[in-house]
Amino acid sequence: MASEIVIAQTTIDDEEQAKALARGAVENRLAACAHIDQPFTAVYRWKGAIETAQEWRVSYKTTTDRLPQLEAWVAEQHSYEVPEWITLPVTGGSEAYLKWVVDESSPQSAK
C-alpha cells in the first residue's frame, strides 16, 4: 500500500492562502490531510533577480490516483505564476495510517 501514497508540496507567501489551500484540498477529498509548516525564508532567482520572501510550505498526504486532480486544483487556486509543486514517494509507514490516507483521499462515491 505504501507505494500508493505520496506527499505533495507547494509553498505560498501568505498564511491565510496556505490555510485555504490546505483546507480546500481536504474538503474536496483530494488529500487526506495537509500540514502547514511555520514560515521560513526563501531565497530564489526570479526573472533575473535574487528574491527573498517569507513563505509557508503546505504538504499534502494523498494517493497517486488523486495526485493529478490535486495538482490541477492547487495550480488553479494558487496565486503564484509558477507555484512550487513537488512530490515525494512514501516508501513505508503504519498500515493503519496509510489505509486512512487512501480512504480519506477517495471520492465520496467510491466509499
Side-chain angles (χ1 to χ4, degrees):
M1 180 180 299
S3 63
E4 298 176 9
I5 309 299
V6 294
I7 298 171
Q9 295 181 330
T10 193
T11 57
I12 193 141
D13 62 358
D14 180 272
E15 184 178 13
E16 291 307 312
Q17 287 182 349
K19 290 176 183 177
L21 287 171
R23 184 174 189 84
V26 173
E27 285 176 344
N28 287 295
R29 301 184 69 84
L30 299 170
C33 67
H35 295 157
I36 302 170
D37 292 338
Q38 293 195 11
F40 56 87
T41 301
V43 179
Y44 55 94
R45 186 180 310 277
W46 180 247
K47 298 186 177 182
I50 303 296
E51 303 285 341
T52 302
Q54 184 178 41
E55 293 186 310
W56 287 257
R57 178 179 296 114
V58 183
S59 299
Y60 303 97
K61 280 57 167 204
T62 192
T63 62
T64 54
D65 289 345
R66 297 297 277 164
L67 190 58
Q69 294 95 338
L70 175 61
E71 181 177 8
W73 184 86
V74 168
E76 180 181 296
Q77 301 298 314
H78 209 291
S79 61
Y80 286 8
E81 185 178 335
V82 181
E84 174 184 336
W85 185 254
I86 60 171
T87 60
L88 308 164
V90 173
T91 60
S94 142
E95 285 301 313
Y97 180 80
L98 300 177
K99 180 182 181 317
W100 174 80
V101 171
V102 170
D103 292 347
E104 295 304 317
S105 298
S106 298
Q108 289 273 51
S109 59
K111 291 186 103 179

